[in-house]
Amino acid sequence: MNYFKLILTTLLLLVITSCSQQPPMHVIGISQCSGDIWRDKQNAELRMGAYIQGDVEVRFASAYDSDERQVQQIDSLIKTGIDLLIVAPNQVQTISPAIDRAYDKGIPVIVFERKTNSKKYTAFISADNYEMGKTMGEYIAHQLHGKGRILEIKGLKDSSPAIERHNGFVQAVNRFPKIQLTDTLQGDWTEESGYKAVKDYQGDLSHIDFVFAQNDRMAMGARKAMKEKGITYPTKFCGIDGLPGKGGGIELVRDSLLDASYIYPTHGDQLIQLAINILEDKPYKKENLLKSALVTRDNANVLLMESEETMRQTAYLDQLHEKADTYLQQLGTQRAITILMAVIILIITASAVIIIMNMRRRHRLERQAFSMVVNVPAEENTPTPVLTEVTQEEKGQIEADNDARFLERLRQQVQEQMTNSDFSVEDLAAQMGVSRVQLYRKVKTQTGRTPVDIIRLSRLNRSKILLQATDLSVSEIAYQVGFTAPSYFTKCFKEEFGMLPGDTRKS
C-alpha cells in the first residue's frame, strides 16, 4: 500500500470538509411568472424568511410573462435537485404539465397567487382575487351612488387573478342597473399595457366616471393616456396591489393619483413557513387565503406610516444579515488558511517520516535479500581487530572476517549498479579490484553461485520488494532493476519464484 498517497488523500479531505460549507437542509425552487415591484418585494421576503429559518437555500427563476420560459425554468429547477417547488403560474392551462412533472417526481408543489387547472399540488396560498374584484366593484358603485359609467382594464389574459377579479367585479356592479360597464380592455399587468389599451381605444371616453384597472400600474398607465387624450372629465382611477413604499399604491392613493387600491399581500415569509411545514412533516392546510384590505384616502396615511416602519425594520434586518454574512465569510477564510497551513505542515512532516521509513525498510530488505542470495548473515561487519601474535583459530576468524567484508563490498557494488542494465561481470570485477577469473572463483567458493547469478538474483529480489512495497507497474519495476525487456524479466521472475510478478501482489 502506498502510505504517502493514503495520508495525503486523508489530509486533503480534511481540508475540503473543514473549509467547505455544509449543504443546506432544504433547497426550495421559486418560479415567478414575471418580474415587477410586487414580486421584488415578495422575493425579498422569501430571502429573509429563508435566512430566519436557517439551513434553507432558495433558487429563483423569473419567466417575465413567458409560458415557454417558465416551463423550461421549472424543468431546470427540478434537474438541480430541489426539495420543494413554489410556483406562480403565468397562465391557467399552459404551465400545468411542468407542475405535474415536478409533483410526479415526488417534489412537493406550492402554487401561490395564481391557479392552474392541475390538481397535482401540495398546497395553494393566495389572497381571494374574486373577493377583491367584488369589493372594488361595490366600492365604486357606492362612490357613484349607483349611477355612472365604468371602464375596466384586465390583467394578463387567461391568468387566474385576471379571470377572478373580473368575475367578482362584474358580479358586484351588475347589482346596480344604472351603472354601465362601457367596456373591458385587455392589459398584461404592466403600466405600458394600461396606457396602450386606453390610448388605442376607439370608444367614447368623454364621460367615464371610473377606470378600474386590475392593478395599480395599469391604472396609472390609463391615467396617463386619458390625460394625453385631453379628456377633462373628472375620471377617477382605482387599482389593486396597494404596495407600500415610493411609487406604491398606498402612496398613490394618499396623493390622490388613485382614488382607491386594494392590498394584494406578498407575505413571502408565510410562503417559506408553509414550505418548511411541508418539508418537515408539520401540520399545514392545503388551501390558504391571505388577508387583504381596501385602501382609500381615509386610511392611506396610516397604512403608509405602518408600512414604512416595517420597511425600515426589514432594511435594518437586511443590514444585519449582510454584516453577519461578511463576518462569517471572513471568519471562514481565516479558519481555512489556518487549517491549510496546519495541513501543509502535517503533509511535509508525514512525507519526511514516510520517506525515511521506506528508505530504512528498503535498505533492510535489500540486505536481507542479498544475504539470501549469497547465503551469509546480513548483520553489519565488525571491525578487524589489531593482531600481534595469532593462533590458528584466530587466523581462521580473520579469513572469515575478510570473506564477510568481501561479500559486503560485493553487495554494495551490485546494489549501486542495480538500475544499470549494461552492468556486467567485468565491470563488477574492476570495481572489486580483482580479475574476472578471480572474482568468479572467490564468489563461487564463498556463495556457491556465479557472479552472473548474484547480479540476476539481486535484481529479482529487489523487484519482489518493489512489487510488494510500491504501486509501480511490472514494466517500470523491470527497467528499474536493470532488465532491458519486461518480457525477459517476467520469464526470469517465474523461473526463480514459480509465479508471475503480478501474482506477488495478489499473494
Side-chain angles (χ1 to χ4, degrees):
M1 179 182 292
N2 193 323
Y3 293 100
F4 174 73
K5 288 184 178 179
L6 177 62
I7 292 177
L8 179 60
T9 303
T10 303
L11 291 174
L12 288 176
L13 286 173
L14 175 64
V15 174
I16 293 170
T17 54
S18 300
C19 299
S20 62
Q21 294 182 346
Q22 294 298 318
M25 184 180 299
H26 303 302
V27 179
I28 299 174
I30 300 171
S31 173
Q32 293 280 17
C33 55
S34 63
D36 50 54
I37 58 174
W38 188 89
R39 297 187 191 281
D40 290 343
K41 180 176 181 292
Q42 185 179 65
N43 289 344
E45 293 168 351
L46 288 164
R47 291 189 185 94
M48 184 57 64
Y51 175 69
I52 292 172
Q53 290 290 339
D55 283 338
V56 176
E57 177 187 344
V58 286
R59 298 174 182 172
F60 291 93
S62 177
Y64 296 101
D65 303 312
S66 168
D67 293 345
E68 182 180 359
R69 186 182 294 117
Q70 187 168 32
V71 169
Q72 292 173 349
Q73 289 174 344
I74 291 173
D75 289 337
S76 178
L77 285 170
I78 294 171
K79 290 179 181 177
T80 64
I82 57 175
D83 300 312
L84 182 142
L85 175 66
I86 297 176
V87 54
N90 193 48
Q91 295 192 39
V92 173
Q93 297 182 359
T94 51
I95 311 301
S96 296
I99 294 175
D100 292 349
R101 284 193 288 275
Y103 190 86
D104 290 341
K105 286 181 178 292
I107 299 173
V109 176
I110 297 177
V111 178
F112 76 96
E113 192 253 325
R114 300 185 182 186
K115 297 179 180 178
T116 72
N117 57 5
S118 172
K119 301 300 181 183
K120 293 183 177 181
Y121 63 91
T122 310
F124 174 77
I125 182 169
S126 176
D128 191 334
N129 284 287
Y130 181 89
E131 185 63 27
M132 287 180 181
K134 181 172 175 289
T135 301
M136 291 303 294
E138 292 171 347
Y139 170 80
I140 292 172
H142 283 96
Q143 293 297 307
L144 292 174
H145 304 289
K147 183 180 179 180
R149 300 176 72 235
I150 305 172
L151 179 68
E152 181 190 22
I153 304 175
K154 291 180 66 176
L156 183 67
K157 186 179 180 181
D158 294 331
S159 64
S160 64
I163 295 169
E164 292 173 356
R165 291 176 190 180
H166 171 74
N167 292 340
F169 182 75
V170 171
Q171 191 271 339
V173 298
N174 281 346
R175 291 169 46 210
F176 301 88
K178 295 184 178 180
I179 290 182
Q180 179 186 359
L181 181 57
T182 59
D183 217 330
T184 296
L185 309 183
Q186 187 63 58
D188 62 7
W189 305 118
T190 63
E191 181 175 338
E192 291 76 11
S193 70
Y195 171 83
K196 189 174 186 303
V198 173
K199 192 74 172 177
D200 296 344
Y201 184 60
Q202 300 300 314
D204 182 14
L205 294 173
S206 60
H207 289 84
I208 298 295
D209 297 292
F210 264 91
V211 172
F212 166 57
Q214 290 187 352
N215 72 359
D216 296 336
R217 294 187 300 281
M218 291 192 298
M220 291 302 293
R223 190 177 191 277
K224 179 181 177 182
M226 295 280 275
K227 185 177 181 180
E228 289 184 2
K229 280 178 173 276
I231 296 173
T232 58
Y233 189 81
T235 303
K236 296 180 180 180
F237 299 85
C238 293
I240 290 177
D241 276 352
L243 286 173
K246 187 69 175 175
I250 299 176
E251 184 182 80
L252 295 174
V253 173
R254 184 199 64 181
D255 296 342
S256 298
L257 296 174
L258 295 180
D259 188 74
S261 184
Y262 205 102
I263 294 175
Y264 191 42
T266 49
H267 288 315
D269 54 336
Q270 291 189 31
L271 257 175
I272 289 293
Q273 185 60 61
L274 176 60
I276 296 301
N277 289 346
I278 292 171
L279 289 170
E280 297 182 355
D281 293 325
K282 296 178 181 178
Y284 69 92
K285 293 194 297 183
K286 184 169 184 176
E287 304 294 332
N288 302 268
L289 285 180
L290 300 173
K291 294 180 179 180
S292 53
L294 184 68
V295 181
T296 66
R297 281 190 292 272
D298 294 333
N299 63 5
N301 200 47
V302 173
L303 291 173
L304 195 60
M305 290 173 60
E306 291 177 349
S307 64
E308 287 175 349
E309 179 60 27
T310 301
M311 291 174 67
R312 274 196 296 271
Q313 295 300 327
T314 301
Y316 178 66
L317 288 174
D318 284 340
Q319 291 175 4
L320 289 178
H321 184 191
E322 291 176 3
K323 288 182 178 179
D325 284 347
T326 302
Y327 171 74
L328 291 173
Q329 186 176 7
Q330 292 173 347
L331 186 64
T333 302
Q334 293 174 357
R335 182 185 176 205
I337 292 173
T338 303
I339 293 174
L340 185 60
M341 292 301 297
V343 168
I344 290 173
I345 293 172
L346 283 172
I347 291 174
I348 294 172
T349 304
S351 302
V353 170
I354 291 169
I355 290 170
I356 292 171
M357 290 176 63
N358 282 342
M359 288 177 63
R360 289 179 177 176
R361 179 171 177 269
R362 184 174 296 178
H363 181 68
R364 185 174 65 254
L365 291 173
E366 286 173 351
R367 288 178 61 84
Q368 291 173 353
F370 187 79
S371 67
M372 291 170 61
V373 172
V374 300
N375 198 25
V376 298
E379 288 79 15
E380 296 290 342
N381 298 309
T382 55
T384 304
V386 179
L387 301 176
T388 54
E389 185 175 345
V390 296
T391 64
Q392 188 68 28
E393 183 179 350
E394 289 171 332
K395 287 181 180 180
Q397 181 63 46
I398 292 172
E399 289 177 0
D401 290 342
N402 289 336
D403 290 344
R405 282 196 295 274
F406 175 81
L407 291 177
E408 176 60 22
R409 284 183 57 213
L410 179 69
R411 183 192 71 79
Q412 291 177 355
Q413 293 299 327
V414 171
Q415 297 299 330
E416 287 175 3
Q417 297 296 326
M418 183 75 69
T419 59
N420 182 6
S421 59
D422 296 327
F423 184 61
S424 64
V425 175
E426 287 78 7
D427 296 329
L428 179 59
Q431 291 177 2
M432 295 292 292
V434 295
S435 68
R436 187 179 188 281
V437 174
Q438 288 176 319
L439 177 67
Y440 178 87
R441 289 175 180 173
K442 196 169 183 63
V443 171
K444 183 71 172 177
T445 300
Q446 295 187 26
T447 68
R449 297 178 183 271
T450 67
V452 173
D453 292 336
I454 295 295
I455 295 173
R456 186 180 71 256
L457 289 173
S458 296
R459 285 172 171 166
L460 290 172
N461 278 291
R462 166 76 73 84
S463 72
K464 196 172 185 180
I465 293 169
L466 293 176
L467 285 166
Q468 295 172 339
T470 72
D471 294 330
L472 296 173
S473 68
V474 172
S475 296
E476 290 173 327
I477 291 174
Y479 293 126
Q480 194 170 114
V481 297
F483 281 86
T484 55
S487 58
Y488 180 64
F489 163 71
T490 300
K491 175 178 177 296
C492 293
F493 192 95
K494 186 173 182 181
E495 289 176 353
E496 181 64 29
F497 300 116
M499 64 176 70
L500 295 173
D503 296 334
T504 302
R505 283 176 172 156
K506 296 177 183 177
S507 61

